[in-house]
Amino acid sequence: MGKLETLEDVKKDIDAEEGIKEVNILFLDVSSTCTGYSIMKVNFHTKSIQLTSCGSLWLNKKTWKDQERYSYLFHAICGYFWIAKQVDYIVYEQYSINPKKMVGVQVLPELMGVIKVAAEENGVGVSSILPQTWRAQLGIKPNVTMDKNGKKKRDYKQPTKEKVLESFELPETSISNITGKERATPSDLYDAIAIGLGWAEKYGLGTLVKGDFEFNPHLGALEQYTNK
């Protein structure tokens, strides 16, 4: 994975053969407790994208060791997303280490390493996009408030959710793949969709095709690709 400046660079990285019209790209917003995903059909001829699936993979932070969470995500990518969703390429949000917040700092880089290894199992290319980049492409600005110490707090979660809901109707609650219980739809899911939209804008693929899409299609299906 080199630096991808143009759409042609992207097509080469995806290894799209001459004449290939459409590819399925998996966009991931990774965290230590939940990974949001969206799958978008990208059409190089019409310069368009279409959301086909999205969902949230909770990682059981309470009882699973780090290696168990890594294994779960690994099997989800090289099993479910490759076989059931026929993903051709993966884009994840790039993570930068904040020297002021070092607690648990190793987990996210390791999860991103897991993504790359899982992709390699099936010969799928991987690249990343900075959060500043996809937000700028979509014109997302933070809500700024002051904390009790008088310092500015920048919240991107609500503005991102609002931006995504301009184009898609999504439920406010989501079934957990860990407990099977209903809980609030996490910000990671909205971010994963926004990552796809911002990535597409960056490479001139910003024509959005509206259509039906699956919400949490992995429920009841992911178990066969993992021992969790």
Side-chain angles (χ1 to χ4, degrees):
M1 177 185 69
K3 193 170 183 180
L4 307 179
E5 299 284 359
T6 67
L7 180 58
E8 289 305 312
D9 293 336
V10 171
K11 291 168 71 173
K12 288 178 182 177
D13 204 43
I14 295 175
D15 196 24
E17 299 177 6
E18 189 67 30
I20 291 293
K21 183 179 179 180
E22 293 181 335
V23 293
N24 296 315
I25 299 183
L26 172 65
F27 296 94
L28 298 171
D29 179 58
V30 184
S31 79
S32 60
T33 57
C34 182
T35 292
Y37 70 86
S38 67
I39 301 174
M40 298 194 181
K41 184 183 296 182
V42 176
N43 190 306
F44 294 126
H45 290 198
T46 61
K47 304 289 182 67
S48 64
I49 58 166
Q50 180 178 358
L51 179 67
T52 58
S53 300
C54 62
S56 308
L57 293 176
W58 271 280
L59 306 175
N60 195 340
K61 193 174 182 179
K62 289 185 178 180
T63 61
W64 291 358
K65 299 176 183 178
D66 286 349
Q67 64 197 54
E68 291 178 286
R69 286 184 280 168
Y70 302 162
S71 176
Y72 188 89
L73 187 58
F74 174 85
H75 287 290
I77 291 172
C78 66
Y80 176 72
F81 289 118
W82 168 252
I83 297 171
K85 294 303 174 187
Q86 300 181 340
V87 165
D88 301 297
Y89 194 67
I90 300 172
V91 179
Y92 64 86
E93 182 185 75
Q94 186 172 322
Y95 172 69
S96 300
I97 294 175
N98 184 346
K100 296 181 180 179
K101 297 179 181 179
M102 298 300 288
V103 177
V105 73
Q106 82 282 359
V107 175
L108 284 177
E110 289 178 349
L111 279 170
M112 290 168 186
V114 167
I115 292 169
K116 293 177 181 179
V117 173
E120 180 61 23
E121 285 292 297
N122 298 310
V124 174
V126 182
S127 65
S128 63
I129 185 169
L130 287 165
Q132 301 95 308
T133 300
W134 64 258
R135 289 172 186 154
Q137 291 292 331
L138 299 179
I140 295 174
K141 305 292 185 183
N143 290 334
V144 181
T145 58
M146 305 296 286
D147 66 15
K148 61 182 180 180
N149 298 315
K151 293 184 178 180
K152 289 182 178 179
K153 291 177 62 177
R154 291 176 172 82
D155 171 42
Y156 286 96
K157 292 182 180 180
Q158 186 61 30
T160 299
K161 178 180 177 179
E162 291 171 358
K163 183 66 178 180
V164 169
L165 291 178
E166 289 177 6
S167 300
F168 306 103
E169 291 186 14
L170 294 163
E172 288 290 331
T173 58
S174 180
I175 301 297
S176 168
N177 53 293
I178 301 299
T179 65
K181 297 179 180 179
E182 193 173 54
R183 57 188 301 178
T185 298
S187 60
D188 309 82
L189 184 143
Y190 299 104
D191 284 358
I193 295 174
I195 289 167
L197 296 176
W199 180 91
E201 287 286 349
K202 178 182 177 181
Y203 293 110
L205 297 163
T207 300
L208 181 62
V209 177
K210 296 291 186 71
D212 294 334
F213 59 89
E214 298 175 296
F215 182 76
N216 276 345
H218 62 275
L219 295 176
L222 186 58
E223 288 76 7
Q224 64 182 301
Y225 298 110
T226 173
N227 58 4
K228 296 290 176 281

